[in-house]
Amino acid sequence: MAGAAVLGGAGAAVGWLRHTDRLVRGRERQRQEQDAIRTGRRSLAAVDAMSWQDFERYVAQLCRRDGCTDVEVSGKSGDLGADVVATLADGRRLVVQCKHYAPHRYVPSGDMQKFVGTAWLHHKADVAVFVATCPFSKPALALAVQHGILALHRDLLGQWNTGTPLPALLSLNGTGQGDRAHRQRWRDTHRS
């Protein structure tokens, strides 16, 4: 009988320890999720669920996270392609155009043409970034590369979103949309 009581007590203690461990791990997981949100990391599904205004504010938040100062969000139409304007940590003027499109769409060349026409001359950008929640069409991407605009498409947005600093992404223009097989898998996943 005494042996059964000891075994029962040991079993209860192990059960209590497991329960406590699960609670502690759950709280830690919640704390990490809250920290990730506070530091500007969200899933791309959460980014997709944002309004276009929230997306512009989120991009501004990512700029601040990466050391930008004087960050301003236009938040209105007629901004001539400058949804977010900031100063990079090294003092260069950053101008960002944001497009919050459905993941299955492509940014058309007309959108890029408008930004090319205003980023450098009108807004006096030292660094111009066009960030989109979808890929860029081939003509839009070619224009971006030709005119030195970072085309920050969905794949690169995912990297920026999860902590890669913007300055590290500036040299990647024209890359990252994957090979033909990657693009086909992406289309199959996001086809309406």
Side-chain angles (χ1 to χ4, degrees):
M1 181 103 139
V6 170
L7 284 176
V14 168
W16 178 80
L17 287 172
R18 284 185 179 163
H19 175 73
T20 302
D21 183 57
R22 277 195 297 266
L23 286 175
V24 169
R25 286 178 191 241
R27 287 184 190 132
E28 178 62 17
R29 194 170 26 257
Q30 287 176 337
R31 186 193 63 75
Q32 288 174 347
E33 289 172 3
Q34 292 302 316
D35 284 349
I37 290 170
R38 275 193 294 276
T39 60
R41 296 177 187 171
R42 298 187 179 162
S43 71
L44 285 178
V47 172
D48 290 339
M50 293 177 180
S51 69
W52 64 268
Q53 298 97 334
D54 288 339
F55 180 62
E56 289 178 3
R57 287 189 289 271
Y58 182 61
V59 167
Q61 180 184 357
L62 291 173
C63 290
R64 285 185 197 96
R65 179 200 72 192
D66 291 346
C68 292
T69 58
D70 305 320
V71 179
E72 295 178 20
V73 180
S74 164
K76 59 184 177 190
S77 61
D79 56 20
L80 297 174
D83 295 320
V84 177
V85 178
T87 303
L88 290 166
D90 62 10
R92 294 181 292 169
R93 181 172 171 81
L94 172 68
V95 176
V96 183
Q97 169 68 39
C98 301
K99 288 296 180 191
H100 188 267
Y101 289 155
H104 66 274
R105 290 191 54 191
Y106 283 82
V107 173
S109 65
D111 287 357
M112 186 61 71
Q113 289 170 24
K114 291 174 190 171
F115 189 53
V116 166
T118 61
W120 308 117
L121 296 173
H122 183 73
H123 296 295
K124 308 283 190 252
D126 295 314
V127 176
V129 177
F130 195 125
V131 60
T133 56
C134 62
F136 290 83
S137 68
K138 285 182 183 181
L141 189 58
L143 271 172
V145 171
Q146 180 182 359
H147 292 281
I149 293 173
L150 171 60
L152 211 148
H153 50 75
R154 187 173 183 83
D155 289 348
L156 294 178
L157 174 60
Q159 290 180 21
W160 190 24
N161 183 49
T162 57
T164 302
L166 181 60
L169 297 170
L170 293 177
S171 64
L172 298 178
N173 196 25
T175 63
Q177 293 198 130
D179 61 11
R180 184 179 303 239
H182 170 81
R183 288 190 305 272
Q184 185 60 49
R185 282 191 307 274
W186 186 88
R187 280 191 295 272
D188 292 344
T189 301
H190 297 289
R191 188 169 281 147
S192 298

